[in-house]
Amino acid sequence: MIEVRELKKSFGERVILDQVSLTVPQGTVCGILGPSGSGKSTLLRCVNFLESFEAGEIIIDGEPVGYRSVEGRREPLPRKTIARMRSQCCMVFQQFNLFAHMTALENVSIALIKVRKMPKRSALEAAEGLLGKVGLTHRKDAYPAFLSGGEQQRVAIARALAMQPKVLLLDEVTSALDPERSAEVLDVIADLSREGMTMMMVTHQVHFAREICNQIIFMDGGVIVERGDSSMITDPSSDRLKSFLRHLRLV
Amino acid sequence: MLAEMPNLVPILLSGMQATLILALSTILIGTCVGTVLGCLAVWGGAIIRILLYALVTIARGVPLVVQVFAVFFVLPVYGIQFSAMTSAAIALSVFASLTIMEIVRAGIKAVSHEQYQAALSLGFSFRDALMSIVFPQALRIMIPGLVNQGVFLVKATSVVSLFGVTEFMFVAKEQIERTLLGFEIMAVVWIMYTLICFPLTQLGRTLEARLNVRGAAQAAS
């Protein structure tokens, strides 16, 4: 479903991602671990093309993200194509980023109306259904300021799901939440993985990653240091991952 | 003394028409052009942004009376000549556009970049992201500044009385010279300016209150 090939990205002199390659098959969850600044969030943002990248390619469901090659030259895709690709792999952010001037229901329905050009009535119906799915029907008329962090993040997930994306990108979605609030968000994500949603998930919740990820990638300094299945967490092979996990008091 | 007043008030009010036309056109043009310039100041290229920054620095730094002077007396040197009223409207509109540009720019900048990115990530076009997500939130932030500037512009129209535009202040001065009723006429002037500006500030308060109910939200992120 997602294929990243030799992705390279730098800010000026600083290399953020170097020769990153990975494959996420349909219906699987790929967890990305790593210390801050290792490039894991940037990797997700590249997949959503919120960041440009200098070399390599990202392919989602057979379609290239961000760039195409025309007569051997690499050039950015038309804006419309970029927007369409984005709407097929939605991102959920650490800080929720709900639209502050809209109720929960409006937050979930707005993209259906503006992007999918759905009539308002059916968009609102679909949005209600999704809020039900994340257990927030009773909060549909609340503005983000009146929602708890966990509720906000669940609305944000519903907002992304509204687009019926092929892929869901989760960028440290529980990092701003206390353990109870993160549990309610993680439950939603676990449900999604059971339903076969393809996901890429940057997280510090190592235990959770081990439970639901089919594949785990450990990044440091812009490169993939180690990759494997969930057993990697209990049985790391690289020293770097060992020391990372030791700091988390897991090994 | 007071016997003069019934005759005076209609004369004074005849100047009010020009003041209102000037104020309204200035605010209208200033808001439209200022909004466009404000967007350019955020998303335009580096050269455009630097140019706009230079212009607004001048507009804010040079006394308004000197700016009006430039339109009245410097442009004609280059063969560009307008009626007194048009010159006044041009001078005030340029000033209004540039100062409102700053309010719009700051308003847009104050909406967090994440809001815009969240919209993009859902597949919004640039235009939809602005219209549905950024502008509605920026507007709430801009209202106090816009109202302030509107009130300032109403009052600033009095500056052009110095250049022979027969607006309210000009007529008032004429009448003072004619009747020597300085105190009485000035009292009317004070009251009238306050009366024009009052609805503006009131409108601002109403809008603020209305947007705030919906947007107690702002505390969120």
Side-chain angles (χ1 to χ4, degrees):
Chain A
M1 177 59 79
I2 310 178
E3 243 196 282
V4 178
R5 288 189 205 130
E6 301 181 347
L7 189 68
K8 197 172 171 219
K9 156 116 196 133
S10 43
F11 289 122
E13 293 282 285
R14 235 172 58 127
V15 177
I16 307 295
L17 295 172
D18 196 10
Q19 304 289 330
V20 172
S21 300
L22 60 94
T23 306
V24 185
Q26 172 140 23
T28 66
V29 182
C30 170
I32 305 169
L33 306 179
S36 303
S38 58
K40 51 197 194 320
S41 283
T42 311
L43 171 61
L44 273 200
R45 295 168 60 82
C46 284
V47 175
N48 203 209
F49 206 59
L50 290 175
E51 300 281 353
S52 58
F53 46 90
E54 289 106 60
E57 52 184 357
I58 301 173
I59 291 167
I60 297 177
D61 202 16
E63 278 193 83
V65 171
Y67 304 94
R68 63 180 168 191
S69 90
V70 176
E71 292 162 9
R73 270 180 311 120
R74 179 172 183 264
E75 65 175 43
L77 285 164
R79 276 188 179 191
K80 276 209 165 143
T81 315
I82 291 175
R84 184 173 54 79
M85 290 300 290
R86 281 188 182 132
S87 75
Q88 292 172 3
C89 71
C90 292
M91 181 122 164
V92 181
F93 301 87
Q94 182 178 356
Q95 295 297 337
F96 332 128
N97 301 350
L98 289 183
F99 304 132
H101 60 306
M102 294 180 179
T103 62
L105 192 64
E106 287 167 339
N107 261 285
V108 180
S109 60
I110 183 76
L112 288 173
I113 298 167
K114 293 291 169 189
V115 181
R116 294 276 188 259
K117 312 289 180 206
M118 203 186 257
K120 195 168 176 190
R121 183 193 288 261
S122 26
L124 289 175
E125 271 170 24
E128 282 223 47
L130 285 158
L131 282 180
K133 192 177 157 98
V134 295
L136 286 174
T137 312
H138 61 297
R139 302 293 274 145
K140 65 178 174 159
D141 293 321
Y143 284 94
F146 300 105
L147 296 170
S148 74
E151 289 172 333
Q152 287 191 56
Q153 193 60 293
R154 284 186 283 156
V155 174
I157 292 174
R159 179 175 72 173
L161 290 177
M163 305 308 288
Q164 298 184 307
K166 293 174 181 167
V167 175
L168 204 55
L169 306 170
L170 307 167
D171 188 7
E172 291 194 36
V173 290
T174 57
S175 293
L177 303 174
D178 67 44
E180 274 184 347
R181 303 286 170 229
S182 17
E184 64 190 43
V185 171
L186 295 179
D187 284 344
V188 170
I189 297 171
D191 281 346
L192 288 173
S193 90
R194 272 192 292 277
E195 288 167 21
M197 174 64 89
T198 313
M199 292 187 271
M200 264 177 97
M201 176 171 80
V202 168
T203 185
H204 290 301
Q205 304 262 356
V206 177
H207 286 297
F208 181 67
R210 195 178 60 188
E211 269 171 47
I212 75 158
C213 292
N214 306 82
Q215 145 177 232
I216 289 176
I217 278 166
F218 176 69
M219 291 182 67
D220 189 24
V223 296
I224 294 177
V225 177
E226 193 173 339
R227 65 177 88 206
D229 58 18
S230 51
S231 66
M232 192 175 115
I233 285 163
T234 37
D235 183 23
S237 55
S238 67
D239 290 340
R240 185 65 192 90
L241 180 54
K242 273 181 201 157
S243 90
F244 179 73
L245 293 171
R246 203 174 305 123
H247 288 303
L248 292 171
R249 308 270 184 273
L250 289 171
V251 181
Chain B
M1 215 183 335
L2 278 176
E4 277 277 347
M5 287 318 269
N7 304 328
L8 271 175
V9 170
I11 301 176
L12 289 175
L13 288 185
S14 73
M16 187 50 87
Q17 195 192 355
T19 293
L20 284 179
I21 292 175
L22 264 181
L24 274 179
S25 56
T26 306
I27 291 175
L28 217 67
I29 297 174
T31 309
C32 296
V33 179
T35 305
V36 174
L37 291 182
C39 293
L40 282 175
V42 176
W43 292 290
I47 296 172
I48 293 176
R49 276 181 289 147
I50 291 169
L51 187 72
L52 288 175
Y53 184 64
L55 286 175
V56 77
T57 306
I58 295 170
R60 281 192 300 204
V62 176
L64 186 55
V65 71
V66 180
Q67 294 180 41
V68 180
F69 186 93
V71 175
F72 270 80
F73 301 118
V74 180
L75 288 186
V77 174
Y78 297 97
I80 308 168
Q81 200 142 19
F82 299 108
S83 72
M85 188 68 176
T86 315
S87 301
I90 292 176
L92 290 172
S93 296
V94 170
F95 173 79
S97 303
L98 288 168
T99 45
I100 289 176
M101 166 189 106
E102 272 299 274
I103 298 172
V104 172
R105 187 190 63 83
I108 293 172
K109 285 269 184 187
V111 177
S112 74
H113 190 60
E114 280 75 29
Q115 292 276 314
Y116 169 69
Q117 287 219 322
L120 282 194
S121 131
L122 290 167
F124 276 68
S125 66
F126 178 69
R127 191 173 149 269
D128 280 341
L130 289 197
M131 298 308 275
S132 319
I133 308 303
V134 178
F135 281 154
Q137 296 187 62
L139 188 64
R140 178 173 45 216
I141 301 166
M142 288 172 346
I143 282 176
L146 286 176
V147 169
N148 251 336
Q149 199 58 21
V151 169
F152 180 85
L153 287 168
V154 171
K155 295 183 291 183
T157 55
S158 61
V159 164
V160 302
S161 67
L162 297 173
F163 299 86
V165 179
T166 49
E167 46 70 81
F168 189 48
M169 191 65 208
F170 184 87
V171 175
K173 276 192 300 185
E174 264 184 347
Q175 293 309 310
I176 291 175
E177 281 159 24
R178 192 174 65 83
T179 62
L180 299 179
L181 293 174
F183 179 79
E184 290 79 355
I185 292 175
M186 271 305 147
V188 175
V189 171
W190 274 49
I191 292 168
M192 287 311 295
Y193 274 119
T194 312
L195 282 183
I196 311 176
C197 291
F198 179 69
L200 260 177
T201 49
Q202 217 43 33
L203 174 76
R205 289 199 170 196
T206 316
L207 280 177
E208 241 176 287
R210 258 192 59 190
L211 291 170
N212 259 331
V213 175
R214 305 185 49 193
Q218 203 60 5
S221 50

